[in-house]
Amino acid sequence: MKAKLVLEDGTIWEGSCFGATGESYGEIVFNTSMAGYQEILTDPSYKGQIVAMTYPLIGNYGINSEDVESRKPFVEGFIVKEYSRIASNWRSQKSLDEYLKENNIIGIEGIDTRALTKHIRLKGAMRAVISTKDLNEDSLIKKAKESPGLIGKDLVKDVTSKKLQVWNEKGKYKVIVLDCGVKFNILRELANNDCKVTFLPAKTDAKTILGLKPDGLLLSNGPGDPEGVPYVVETVKELLGKLPIFGICLGQQMLGLALGGKTYKLKFGHHGANHPVKDLKTGKIYITVQNHGFCVDMDSLKKEDIEITHVNLNDNTLEGFKHKKFPVFCVQFHPEASPGPHDAQYLFGEFVNLMQKTKAKS
Amino acid sequence: MPKRTDIHKILIIGSGPIVISQACEFDYSGTQACKVLKSEGFEVILLNSNPATIMTDPLIADKTYIEPITPEIVERIIERERPDAILPTLGGQTALNVTVQAAEAGTFDKYNVKVIGANIKAIKKAEDRELFKKAMQKIGLDLPRSGKAHTLKEAFEVVEKIGVPVIIRPSFTLGGTGGGVAYNIEEFKELAKTGLESSMISQILIEESVIGWKEFELEVMRDTRDNVVIICSIENFDPMGVHTGDSITVAPAQTLTDKEYQKMRDAAIACIREIGVETGGSNIQFAVNPDNGRMVVIEMNPRVSRSSALASKATGFPIAKIAAKLAVGYTLDEIPNDITKETPACFEPTIDYCVVKIPRFTFEKFPEADTTLTVSMKSVGEAMAIGRTFKEALQKGLRSLEIGVDGLADLKHEVSESKLIEKLRTPNAERIFYIKHALKNGLDIDEIYKHTQIDRWFLHNIKEIVELEQKIIEVGNNKKLSSELLLKAKQFGFSDKQLAKILKTEEEVIRKLRTKFGIKAVYKLVDTCGAEFEAYTPYYYSTYEKENESCN
């Protein structure tokens, strides 16, 4: 079945449909990971986005029940060059096509994804619509232009958990995860580091969090614009200095805002598994996983309070900072990987050390 | 860390004569290294016995010795030239072997020559199978069960414990010569004997057979600050049991989930660190059990290899060049990525196409030779093709072999059913064509898999080529060929000539039809980054897509 991807600047991309049929809109972004499409589909940070894979052959190893990063896939649409009609892997349980159908996600194949990627690189991430039921180009351009986009929108409310949940009951360190769309691998990593993980809806206030007497707080990744979730930023402000805090991705952006900094939108974001990040203290370079469209403005942070700890070697953007007085640190990349390299996994250990040190002091 | 200032003059060892398993790829890597080191201000002394190479051209090194590559000659050159360092990792196995021999003769200590790239200890640890096994066990990596033997009697004791089939691998040889697979005790006796004879130190390794498992390779780079990156993953079309040099190989890996790929990546990084290759590239091979995913380490080359030449071309990341820079002290973040200019070489290339390498054999010139493919390499060359899909790259690669086929062609002769099964079961140069024949004759993928153990993903892709060809045959006439079908055929890698043959017409007719429909080749960039950054000095491959990136 024919399907069209139409961008708000009027460019038309025609392909054929796999997965679900229908119509959907979102911001179009590209991801350069060569494997890991299942993790990408289920990463809640992709809420509000249509993802195009730069690697052309997708679906090769099917779908299994283990490699999920959340309760369901959150992408608004999935664009590939060639969808594999065979799923070949000993862990595969179903095809990508079946999976997308079950979850009502439209896939399009047969798109020149390299040309699309270059277009996004040059023109920036933009609003887009994909459809199998309306192939009228003028109508689709209009729909793309009228779609809400990401700026200032609260997408966290669509992905956060509805109630308190606990992982690894027996863990030694009590960690609260403020769930703005947390990836399961963050929870798995915390559990592997002997943490009892309690994750709470993003709207939980500071008093409730402190009332649970946690050893530390993890501010999770999540979708969209950090300025769209002022209520979380307020919570973070109240909690600064009261307990160890570790922020990841959106978590870093919310910390940046809570500390008086500014965030801005990157032209087309970082979405991939090969970004070199330098640890400024050790000089070591980690190949990191990234998935963000917004970034904290390095110069907006108060030098007397903040120490820059990590930078991206591709474009010198801010990748991590810590507070000089409070037990607070964060990174823009994804130490939990999944998909992608495990180079930065050690940061979970550092979070545990920080909780241990803080505990010993009190 | 900037360039080392304690070394000024470097001796590079070439790979000597062109033989099976050691051909122009080492000329390519050695030449790159000479050029880079010269441009960095080092005085480069080159030893290579083969004057028919680029690297021995007068302007490549400062001084070139065309002499036999022996430890004695190495010593005499060192005595005369007094280099500060020797770089042995760019001249294939020959260079590594002679370096180990010279080190054991005390030459480097005597003249105070530093071995850069990989040190002697690391080379030995990677090359000596027993040391390698211990090192891998130490870091918790799984290996095939194995034992070593120096005599035939020892060999029999080992095989008794493991049971047949086993693989026999002699230590310190070229391209696996003298090795083989023994399915029974008679074969074992024969192979153990020749193996012991061909090993430089009369040592063989006897190993649990992982024949039929999926085979993968990772190209790894490390710098003096212990930064490690993976340049490329390669999946072998032919499963374990066929030498990588004789296998059709594909980049990147196609059938691993990210979880499995990252496990392999972690293992490769742990491996290069434990072996202690200080700087430069290494190649690490893995086997994966297709039924349960058990992953074992097979071997490591602590040097630039045939696969790194392939990986360099496949990704646009010049491994030998970067390896030479790392050997003289630079770190990965200090070296710019030549293609993007603005981003550093410290990253992992991502590719947005599929690369297929197909070995080229010349059995027709050696009528007596056994054409069965084994763990000893027999191919004399290879063709590498790039396409947006595996199907496209496979067909481009096949016609680039210059063996008289225009793509995935039909067999030119009749085949009985029993012969067909035999040709599927026993790896051979034409197996890919027999797979096509099997599909056309109604064998299903599971059955072909049972005989070949070639991953179903590859078989399915071949089936898609075969089915499209059937569809075109059914159309029967170029006048009825639709624009959609012709475009699809081009995207599946069919050449005009190939289509003309199928439709019993002339190449020119198909070409004209294509022009009429506006279907023409476009050229896309190899840029290391999947179009994420602008590319400045890239190269192109042809395909059939929407956008053309070359100027018209």
Side-chain angles (χ1 to χ4, degrees):
Chain A
M1 187 195 275
K2 259 195 188 172
K4 277 183 183 163
L5 160 72
V6 174
L7 312 191
E8 63 174 302
D9 69 353
T11 43
I12 317 280
W13 308 78
E14 216 176 300
S16 30
C17 168
F18 70 104
T21 55
E23 195 166 287
S24 171
Y25 58 83
E27 182 188 68
I28 179 97
V29 292
F30 62 83
N31 185 303
T32 60
S33 307
M34 290 185 284
Y37 53 82
Q38 190 178 344
E39 292 89 335
I40 289 165
L41 291 167
T42 53
D43 178 349
S45 296
Y46 281 114
K47 179 71 195 166
Q49 290 177 319
I50 297 168
V51 178
M53 299 299 286
T54 59
Y55 186 66
L57 312 175
I58 300 291
N60 301 4
Y61 53 77
I63 294 283
N64 63 60
S65 59
E66 296 154 354
D67 297 353
V68 288
E69 281 305 317
S70 67
R71 60 193 182 275
K72 71 180 187 81
F74 281 101
V75 301
E76 307 293 344
F78 199 49
I79 314 289
V80 304
K81 161 65 186 165
E82 184 182 82
Y83 161 69
S84 175
R85 260 94 193 138
I86 184 172
S88 181
N89 188 285
W90 60 96
R91 291 198 298 141
S92 173
Q93 290 158 332
K94 64 180 74 157
S95 72
L96 173 60
D97 175 58
E98 289 170 80
Y99 185 66
L100 293 184
K101 278 194 177 100
E102 279 170 20
N103 289 284
N104 199 27
I105 290 167
I106 306 168
I108 306 185
E109 68 160 340
I111 301 271
D112 184 343
T113 43
R114 183 174 168 87
L116 176 64
T117 301
K118 275 178 69 190
H119 189 78
I120 299 168
R121 181 185 89 209
L122 295 169
K123 302 279 162 61
M126 61 182 92
R127 287 172 296 177
V129 62
I130 49 179
S131 187
T132 60
K133 59 184 191 194
D134 175 7
L135 299 177
N136 180 295
E137 292 172 2
D138 293 334
S139 147
L140 288 170
I141 295 170
K142 195 161 165 266
K143 283 177 186 168
K145 282 183 174 158
E146 282 167 4
S147 67
L150 294 182
I151 309 232
K153 290 272 155 349
D154 177 9
L155 295 167
V156 167
K157 66 175 171 17
D158 301 330
V159 298
T160 185
S161 45
K162 301 275 178 291
K163 56 178 195 320
L164 181 150
Q165 293 178 68
V166 177
W167 278 34
N168 194 32
E169 190 71 57
K170 290 184 195 124
K172 186 172 163 196
Y173 301 94
K174 281 191 276 174
V175 175
I176 299 281
V177 174
L178 203 50
D179 175 20
C180 291
V182 71
K183 279 165 73 187
F184 281 174
N185 224 41
I186 291 178
L187 309 177
R188 293 181 194 117
E189 285 294 333
L190 288 170
N192 289 343
N193 279 282
D194 204 10
C195 296
K196 175 190 168 184
V197 186
T198 306
F199 57 114
L200 297 168
K203 283 213 161 124
T204 313
D205 59 28
K207 207 176 139 200
T208 314
I209 291 171
L210 290 171
L212 292 164
K213 299 202 169 14
D215 297 317
L217 172 72
L218 188 137
L219 294 173
S220 83
N221 65 295
D225 187 346
E227 294 191 54
V229 283
Y231 53 93
V232 189
V233 175
E234 281 311 310
T235 311
V236 175
K237 268 186 196 165
E238 281 179 55
L239 292 170
L240 283 170
K242 295 191 176 132
L243 78 173
I245 302 177
F246 178 23
I248 293 175
C249 198
L250 181 66
Q252 158 156 319
Q253 295 159 13
M254 294 184 305
L255 270 167
L257 292 176
L259 288 160
K262 287 194 178 74
T263 55
Y264 64 100
K265 193 169 191 315
L266 294 162
K267 191 174 180 188
F268 51 88
H270 294 172
H271 310 276
N274 67 344
H275 284 251
V277 165
K278 191 169 192 163
D279 181 330
L280 296 179
K281 203 184 248 169
T282 62
K284 277 223 41 122
I285 289 134
Y286 300 99
I287 302 301
T288 67
V289 183
Q290 311 229 346
N291 179 22
H292 58 106
F294 293 83
C295 188
V296 178
D297 179 356
M298 213 183 282
D299 301 325
S300 72
L301 295 168
K302 294 190 195 97
K303 303 243 163 10
E304 57 276 23
D305 294 339
I306 304 297
E307 181 189 335
I308 309 284
T309 56
H310 296 79
V311 288
N312 188 309
L313 292 183
N314 283 342
D315 61 5
N316 296 310
T317 51
L318 180 68
E319 289 289 352
F321 64 85
K322 67 180 206 183
H323 200 278
K324 287 179 179 168
K325 287 179 270 202
F326 304 144
V328 170
F329 75 109
C330 54
V331 288
Q332 182 57 66
F333 52 90
H334 289 266
E336 80 282 6
S338 206
H342 301 152
D343 290 16
Q345 256 174 358
Y346 72 99
L347 287 167
F348 291 97
E350 293 204 345
F351 182 41
V352 169
N353 291 342
L354 187 64
M355 288 189 285
Q356 207 170 18
K357 254 174 40 194
T358 315
K359 231 177 168 177
K361 264 191 217 161
S362 54
Chain B
M1 228 166 288
K3 189 169 81 179
R4 282 174 78 151
T5 50
D6 58 331
I7 50 179
H8 308 282
K9 199 169 180 179
I10 301 171
L11 173 61
I12 292 184
I13 315 278
S15 68
I18 302 282
V19 294
I20 285 179
S21 89
Q22 213 167 256
C24 51
E25 51 268 43
F26 297 108
D27 189 19
Y28 165 81
S29 55
T31 306
Q32 274 194 21
C34 289
K35 282 184 174 169
V36 164
L37 296 180
K38 256 178 84 173
S39 72
E40 287 292 334
F42 292 98
E43 191 179 345
V44 176
I45 311 298
L46 173 68
L47 164 61
N48 193 356
S49 61
N50 184 359
T53 54
I54 305 292
M55 62 161 79
T56 51
D57 282 0
L59 291 174
I60 303 290
D62 290 295
K63 267 188 198 165
T64 301
Y65 287 85
I66 298 180
E67 298 285 347
I69 303 171
T70 64
E72 296 75 27
I73 296 288
V74 169
E75 169 144 17
R76 281 178 59 196
I77 295 172
I78 288 176
E79 191 186 354
R80 196 162 144 184
E81 295 289 344
R82 301 298 173 112
D84 306 303
I86 179 168
L87 180 55
T89 50
L90 296 154
Q93 197 61 40
T94 301
L96 274 194
N97 288 351
V98 81
T99 304
V100 170
Q101 288 167 333
E104 279 170 354
T107 308
F108 305 141
D109 291 337
K110 190 170 161 193
Y111 296 98
N112 194 24
V113 178
K114 298 174 188 78
V115 181
I116 56 174
N119 61 36
I120 299 296
K121 210 176 133 202
I123 296 171
K124 281 189 174 166
K125 222 168 163 182
E127 299 271 319
D128 181 297
R129 298 201 163 269
E130 198 54 33
L131 292 177
F132 183 71
K133 187 177 162 184
K134 276 197 189 125
M136 293 305 100
Q137 281 166 342
K138 191 182 151 202
I139 51 172
L141 296 185
D142 201 357
L143 299 126
R145 286 175 295 149
S146 65
K148 68 171 178 178
H150 294 91
T151 64
L152 213 49
K153 187 171 165 277
E154 280 177 18
F156 274 104
E157 285 166 16
V158 173
V159 81
E160 216 158 89
K161 278 185 221 150
I162 299 175
V164 284
V166 288
I167 300 174
I168 292 116
R169 293 174 190 267
S171 300
F172 283 98
T173 62
L174 293 179
T177 37
V181 187
Y183 292 91
N184 55 51
I185 289 297
E186 290 76 50
E187 283 175 5
F188 176 75
K189 190 177 169 188
E190 187 69 23
L191 283 165
K193 229 170 99 183
T194 50
L196 285 165
E197 281 161 10
S198 68
S199 163
M200 277 169 46
I201 54 167
S202 183
Q203 179 181 301
I204 55 167
L205 179 85
I206 302 153
E207 211 170 63
E208 169 196 12
S209 169
V210 286
I211 288 174
W213 289 25
K214 290 151 75 79
E215 185 172 354
F216 296 88
E217 289 177 78
L218 294 187
E219 291 298 319
V220 191
M221 296 216 89
R222 184 182 186 209
D223 70 17
T224 48
R225 216 178 251 155
D226 195 27
N227 295 311
V228 186
V229 292
I230 310 294
I231 304 307
C232 187
S233 65
I234 300 173
E235 177 164 352
N236 287 19
F237 172 93
D238 297 282
M240 289 294 295
V242 179
H243 191 281
T244 313
D246 286 351
S247 292
I248 295 176
T249 60
V250 180
Q254 300 294 337
T255 60
L256 293 178
T257 66
D258 184 68
K259 294 282 173 293
E260 293 135 19
Y261 172 69
Q262 296 305 335
K263 190 177 149 202
M264 199 174 275
R265 183 183 180 276
D266 289 347
I269 293 172
C271 179
I272 194 169
R273 284 186 174 145
E274 177 57 29
I275 295 300
V277 176
E278 291 161 322
T279 65
S282 287
N283 154 271
I284 303 165
Q285 294 173 21
F286 297 91
V288 173
N289 186 324
D291 300 322
N292 58 25
R294 182 182 155 209
M295 179 185 85
V296 295
V297 188
I298 299 300
E299 66 172 21
M300 178 213 208
N301 287 309
R303 56 171 169 87
V304 166
S305 66
R306 195 178 36 258
S307 297
S308 18
L310 179 77
S312 296
K313 285 173 270 182
T315 60
F317 188 102
I319 293 176
K321 182 179 167 179
I322 306 283
K325 286 203 175 191
L326 298 180
V328 294
Y330 286 105
T331 53
L332 284 161
D333 56 316
E334 292 170 340
I335 306 168
N337 176 345
D338 283 344
I339 288 187
T340 62
K341 286 186 180 166
E342 275 156 34
T343 60
C346 192
F347 81 119
E348 301 197 340
T350 186
I351 64 182
D352 56 4
Y353 43 82
C354 179
V355 180
V356 177
K357 175 219 82 174
I358 310 175
R360 170 71 151 90
F361 300 91
T362 44
F363 289 121
E364 70 277 6
K365 289 186 183 154
F366 305 100
E368 300 290 303
D370 176 8
T371 58
T372 303
L373 304 182
T374 66
V375 290
S376 294
M377 185 169 159
K378 293 177 178 175
S379 70
V380 295
E382 62 195 30
M384 187 193 98
I386 301 181
R388 283 281 279 167
T389 63
F390 169 74
K391 295 178 273 281
E392 184 181 28
L394 178 72
Q395 294 226 75
K396 283 167 86 173
L398 285 169
R399 69 175 157 272
S400 305
L401 290 173
E402 298 187 350
I403 53 169
V405 299
D406 303 309
L408 187 62
D410 286 323
L411 288 169
K412 291 193 178 82
H413 48 84
E414 290 298 308
V415 189
S416 68
E417 206 184 312
S418 62
K419 171 98 184 279
L420 176 64
I421 302 299
E422 161 67 20
K423 286 288 181 185
L424 291 176
R425 272 177 180 275
T426 319
N428 60 84
E430 282 93 39
R431 184 152 71 164
I432 185 112
F433 304 108
Y434 283 98
I435 292 171
K436 181 185 183 187
H437 188 84
L439 286 164
K440 280 180 79 169
N441 283 273
L443 265 70
D444 66 19
I445 284 177
D446 282 336
E447 201 165 353
I448 299 173
Y449 175 76
K450 196 181 81 198
H451 297 309
T452 61
Q453 272 97 50
I454 292 169
D455 194 280
R456 291 175 180 87
W457 189 85
F458 294 119
L459 297 175
H460 179 84
N461 272 274
I462 295 172
K463 191 179 168 201
E464 288 182 333
I465 297 174
V466 173
E467 283 172 352
L468 191 71
E469 186 181 298
Q470 291 303 121
K471 215 169 168 181
I472 297 164
I473 291 170
E474 279 160 28
V475 167
N477 189 314
N478 59 285
K479 291 192 181 77
K480 291 184 210 150
L481 194 62
S482 71
S483 165
E484 288 78 26
L485 191 57
L486 183 54
L487 176 63
K488 194 165 182 195
K490 297 308 287 181
Q491 289 180 332
F492 275 33
F494 284 88
S495 71
D496 289 355
K497 200 169 153 195
Q498 195 181 357
L499 290 170
K501 264 187 202 164
I502 297 166
L503 292 168
K504 299 192 173 54
T505 177
E506 299 301 314
E507 187 179 350
E508 199 47 41
V509 175
I510 302 293
R511 215 180 176 79
K512 270 190 189 143
L513 187 65
R514 215 157 50 67
T515 319
K516 196 182 102 189
F517 288 146
I519 301 168
K520 56 178 188 176
V522 300
Y523 295 85
K524 292 219 176 270
L525 291 172
V526 170
D527 67 3
T528 74
C529 62
E532 187 173 6
F533 305 103
E534 192 168 356
Y536 293 92
T537 51
Y539 47 101
Y540 296 85
Y541 63 95
S542 70
T543 186
Y544 288 82
E545 278 274 33
K546 185 172 171 172
E547 187 199 34
N548 188 11
E549 294 187 72
S550 80
C551 20
N552 292 309

